[in-house]
């Protein structure tokens, strides 16, 4: 995610067209950026990281109420969760699965199978089969319908080589399935051991409330864990948000600090502010050289590591050279044989948006050129095979599109004369054209074409189109997008957007600070376009 607010090299995409539409005045644009930058700096906590808590969510709130109910602890917390779920049902749940979970936790039966079909019918993703099994099992635990039937799916609960919290979740779901179908013999000692860390006091392992709640629901079925489960259940009230609900994760302080640091650098924040953020970020590097999404999350991932490497390099290549090098080694160790990068572990499926992030982190180092070339070829091939409109950890088409545009620009900037240059430029043009074709009449973008515009979707798209000023239609789109955003800035300088992040995919969750971060990034790129 390029941080610089100055013109940057990229592919020439000039095409015949009308006279470019002028951008809004740079005065209002700069004032909007300054107000956003002030908000981000104010979000820094005592430890130096930006504080980016996650809003509560219906799914975790329903499961938390189930845990408190079956363990018989903390009636006050049960009441808070009940009110949260009733409000959510009255106002309308964001998807059928969470509506089913809320109604089941409240004692209202719904057809969970139908909800799953409606939610996952269009979810074309390599995780869809596992997610269908996951949602069927947890809704069965909540009483929405029966557990999955034959053929016996217990083998499908295995998750070898996957991220740690997914291994925990699948072990918990296996236990719940086995006991729910009268087949506890399916559970092994290894399954119980995978769940044990969730019975320990303190924050949830890996910063994941969903994994811990599922693990506690499973552990309650073995008497030796009963007291520990009750103790953790009593601690739940400390994790509830102001609205009485439980969030999916503890927060995204590391991710927000890396991306927010890049946004602040592009907005001209003082060097001492950037160094303070970078120093705090460096202190949260994991032993494997990578970073997780939040403080205390020992599971590193390619996405967070890529942004951390970018920000640390931009802030002080000498001062943070060791951390940058360690992050680069972490990334290179996860590149797949297809040239792409997975989110977590080597050998799992490569993803376009994640690969693009790794390209932007690795491209500045000449020694990594072969890895960068292979990664860009993967992105281009995937675009040609299935379109460039992947939705993954973000629910937005524009997220993967802006990432691929930046990756293509990184490659084109460091590989002059490369044989793949023309092919990469064409792929970049296709990505930008998709955005230009799907901009709404109000100047913004939504998650998908024809969806209502929202600030974070618009900011993602703005990053890409603003980097294409030689295309008149892109310059016009940039001006309309900037006006759209400036009209929606709140009196406190911030922005409010619909949830964008997804996990477990495709369920949405919301970290409000990320909207401000991404809008500032988009406006920075628009300002660079004006400078050109």
């Amino acid at each position: 995610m390029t941080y610089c607010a100055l013109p940057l090299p990229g592919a020439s995409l000039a095409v015949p067209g009308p006279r470019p539409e002028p951008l809004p005045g740079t005065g209002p644009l700069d004032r909007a950026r300054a107000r956003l930058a002030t908000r981000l700096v104010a979000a820094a906590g005592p430890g130096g990281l930006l504080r980016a808590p996650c809003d509560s969510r219906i799914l975790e709130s329903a499961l938390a109420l189930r845990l408190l109910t079956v363990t018989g602890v903390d009636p006050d917390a049960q009441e808070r969760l009940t009110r949260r779920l009733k409000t959510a049902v009255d106002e309308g749940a964001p998807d059928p699965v969470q509506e089913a979970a809320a109604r089941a936790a409240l004692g209202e039966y719904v057809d969970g199978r139908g909800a799953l079909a409606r939610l996952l019918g269009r979810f074309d993703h390599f995780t869809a089969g596992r997610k269908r099994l996951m949602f069927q099992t947890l809704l069965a635990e909540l009483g929405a319908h029966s557990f999955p039937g034959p053929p016996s799916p217990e083998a499908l609960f295995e998750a070898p080589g996957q991220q740690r919290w997914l291994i925990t979740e699948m072990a918990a779901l296996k236990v719940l399935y086995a006991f729910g179908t009268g087949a506890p013999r399916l559970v092994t000692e290894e399954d119980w051991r995978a769940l044990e860390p969730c019975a320990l006091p303190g924050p949830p392992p890996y910063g994941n409330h969903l994994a811990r709640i599922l693990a506690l629901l499973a552990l309650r079925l073995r008497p030796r864990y009963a007291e520990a489960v009750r103790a953790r259940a009593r601690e739940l009230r400390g994790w509830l948000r102001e609205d009485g609900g439980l969030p999916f994760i503890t927060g995204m302080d590391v991710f927000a600090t890396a991306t927010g640091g890049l946004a602040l650098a592009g907005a001209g924040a003082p060097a001492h502010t950037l160094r303070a953020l970078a120093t705090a970020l460096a202190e949260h590097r994991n032993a494997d050289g990578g970073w997780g999404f939040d403080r205390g999350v020992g599971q590193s991932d390619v996405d967070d590591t890529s942004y951390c490497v970018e920000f640390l390099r931009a802030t002080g290549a000498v001062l943070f050279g060791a951390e940058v090098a360690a992050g680069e080694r972490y990334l290179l160790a996860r590149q797949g044989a297809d040239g792409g990068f997975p989110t977590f572990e080597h050998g799992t499926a490569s993803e376009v948006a994640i690969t693009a992030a790794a390209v932007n982190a690795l491209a500045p180092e000449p020694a990594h050129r072969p890895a960068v070339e292979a990664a860009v070829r993967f992105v281009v091939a995937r675009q040609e095979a299935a379109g460039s409109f992947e939705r993954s950890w973000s629910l937005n088409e524009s997220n993967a599109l802006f990432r691929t545009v930046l990756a293509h620009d990184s490659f084109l900037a460091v590989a002059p004369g490369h044989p793949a240059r023309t092919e990469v430029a064409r792929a970049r043009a296709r990505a930008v054209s998709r955005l230009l074709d799907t901009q709404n009449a109000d100047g913004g973008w939504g998650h998908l074409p024809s969806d209502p515009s929202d600030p974070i979707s618009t900011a993602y798209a703005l990053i890409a189109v603003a980097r294409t000023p030689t295309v008149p239609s892109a310059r016009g789109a940039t001006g309309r997008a900037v006006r759209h955003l400036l009209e929606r800035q709140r009196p406190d300088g911030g922005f409010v957007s619909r949830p964008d992040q997804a996990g477990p995919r495709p369920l949405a969750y919301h970290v409000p600070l990320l909207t401000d971060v991404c809008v500032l990034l988009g406006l920075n790129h628009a300002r660079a376009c004006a400078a050109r």
Side-chain angles (χ1 to χ4, degrees):
M1 184 176 291
T2 306
Y3 70 94
C4 187
L6 299 175
L8 295 167
S12 174
L13 300 173
V15 294
R19 183 179 180 84
E21 181 177 330
L23 285 171
T26 56
L29 176 56
D30 286 343
R31 286 193 293 274
R33 293 165 65 222
R35 294 169 66 198
L36 266 176
T38 299
R39 278 180 59 84
L40 291 185
V41 172
L49 296 179
L50 299 186
R51 292 165 294 189
C54 181
D55 282 356
S56 73
R57 191 168 67 172
I58 296 174
L59 178 62
E60 286 73 20
S61 301
L63 291 168
L65 179 57
R66 168 70 172 168
L67 177 65
L68 294 180
T69 301
V70 298
T71 55
V73 304
D74 204 337
D76 289 341
Q78 290 184 43
E79 178 60 26
R80 291 180 65 190
L81 286 160
T82 298
R83 288 199 301 269
R84 169 71 176 96
L85 293 174
K86 287 182 176 179
T87 299
V89 169
D90 290 342
E91 294 179 349
D95 59 72
V97 166
Q98 293 198 79
E99 181 178 358
R103 292 188 181 278
L106 293 170
E108 305 173 11
Y109 176 79
V110 297
D111 179 9
R113 295 184 190 278
L116 285 166
R118 291 194 299 275
L119 176 68
L120 296 176
R122 297 183 179 180
F123 184 49
D124 183 16
H125 195 269
F126 65 88
T127 65
R130 184 173 69 230
K131 296 301 168 53
R132 189 172 290 108
L133 179 65
M134 171 185 288
F135 296 141
Q136 286 177 331
T137 303
L138 66 85
L139 289 175
E141 167 63 24
L142 288 168
H145 62 75
S146 60
F147 284 88
S152 297
E154 60 268 16
L156 299 179
F157 289 111
E158 306 299 328
Q162 298 289 341
Q163 62 268 33
R164 297 170 205 170
W165 61 76
L166 179 58
I167 293 172
T168 299
E169 288 173 359
M170 299 312 289
L173 292 167
K174 180 181 178 183
V175 171
L176 295 175
Y177 166 80
F179 278 77
T181 56
R185 67 185 183 282
L186 298 176
V187 182
T188 67
E189 286 300 318
E190 184 178 355
D191 295 324
W192 294 117
R193 283 194 296 272
L195 302 177
E196 283 180 347
C198 293
L200 299 175
Y206 326 120
N208 192 306
H209 286 295
L210 174 60
R212 181 181 228 176
I213 292 291
L214 288 175
L216 293 174
L217 285 169
L219 288 169
R220 86 182 197 278
L221 299 172
R222 198 176 201 188
R224 63 185 287 187
Y225 297 112
E227 187 50 44
V229 169
R230 287 174 59 83
R232 301 295 80 75
R234 283 190 289 268
E235 294 169 0
L236 264 180
R237 65 165 47 239
W239 295 104
L240 301 184
R241 294 290 187 247
E242 290 183 3
D243 63 3
L246 188 71
F248 166 47
I249 53 176
T250 53
M252 296 185 73
D253 291 7
V254 170
F255 183 82
T257 301
T259 54
L262 290 166
L264 287 169
H272 66 84
T273 298
L274 302 178
R275 283 196 300 271
L277 293 173
T279 299
L281 202 60
E283 292 173 354
H284 288 275
R285 179 169 59 90
N286 291 327
D288 60 9
W291 281 263
F293 59 83
D294 199 13
R295 63 186 76 225
V297 175
Q299 171 72 66
S300 300
D301 65 82
V302 171
D303 203 29
D304 287 281
T305 301
S306 296
Y307 288 127
C308 288
V309 167
E310 277 199 75
F311 177 50
L312 293 178
R313 183 190 290 116
T315 306
V318 175
L319 183 60
F320 300 106
E323 288 80 7
V324 168
E328 290 173 339
R329 288 193 295 271
Y330 169 87
L331 294 174
L332 293 169
R334 274 140 191 86
Q335 188 168 25
D338 58 5
F341 288 78
T343 303
F344 296 104
E345 302 297 343
H346 176 76
T348 55
S350 298
E351 303 188 54
V352 170
I354 301 302
T355 300
V359 167
N360 292 315
L362 295 171
E365 174 52 58
H368 305 326
R369 194 64 46 76
V372 169
E373 292 176 3
V376 171
R377 287 186 181 278
F378 166 82
V379 171
V380 171
R382 183 68 66 86
Q383 285 180 273
E384 291 180 344
S388 56
F389 323 131
E390 173 192 86
R391 294 196 299 159
S392 182
W393 297 105
S394 167
L395 296 171
N396 278 290
E397 277 192 5
S398 56
N399 181 275
L401 286 166
F402 96 77
R403 288 175 181 236
T404 59
V405 168
L406 292 181
H408 295 330
D409 284 354
S410 294
F411 174 79
L412 293 167
V414 302
H418 193 280
R421 190 175 180 86
T422 301
E423 182 182 13
V424 171
R426 282 200 304 267
R428 185 195 193 282
R430 286 196 299 273
V432 173
S433 293
R434 173 67 173 185
L435 291 170
L436 296 178
D437 291 342
T438 56
Q439 186 176 25
N440 290 331
D442 63 7
W445 282 264
H447 285 183
L448 292 171
S450 77
D451 279 358
S453 300
D454 65 85
I456 198 166
S457 303
T458 301
Y460 290 150
L462 178 57
I463 293 172
V465 298
R467 293 177 61 86
T468 317
T470 53
V471 177
S473 57
R475 186 171 175 85
T478 298
R480 292 191 297 275
V482 169
R483 276 188 285 274
H484 176 87
L485 291 172
L486 296 188
E487 290 170 358
R488 284 154 182 79
Q489 190 168 27
R490 294 163 60 90
D492 62 7
F495 289 80
V496 174
S497 195
R498 64 187 294 198
D500 161 64
Q501 306 293 306
R505 295 178 282 192
L507 299 187
Y509 67 96
H510 192 42
V511 179
L513 186 70
L514 295 184
T515 300
D516 290 343
V517 168
C518 293
V519 171
L520 182 55
L521 285 163
L523 294 180
N524 287 345
H525 282 265
R527 185 62 175 86
C529 177
R532 296 185 185 100

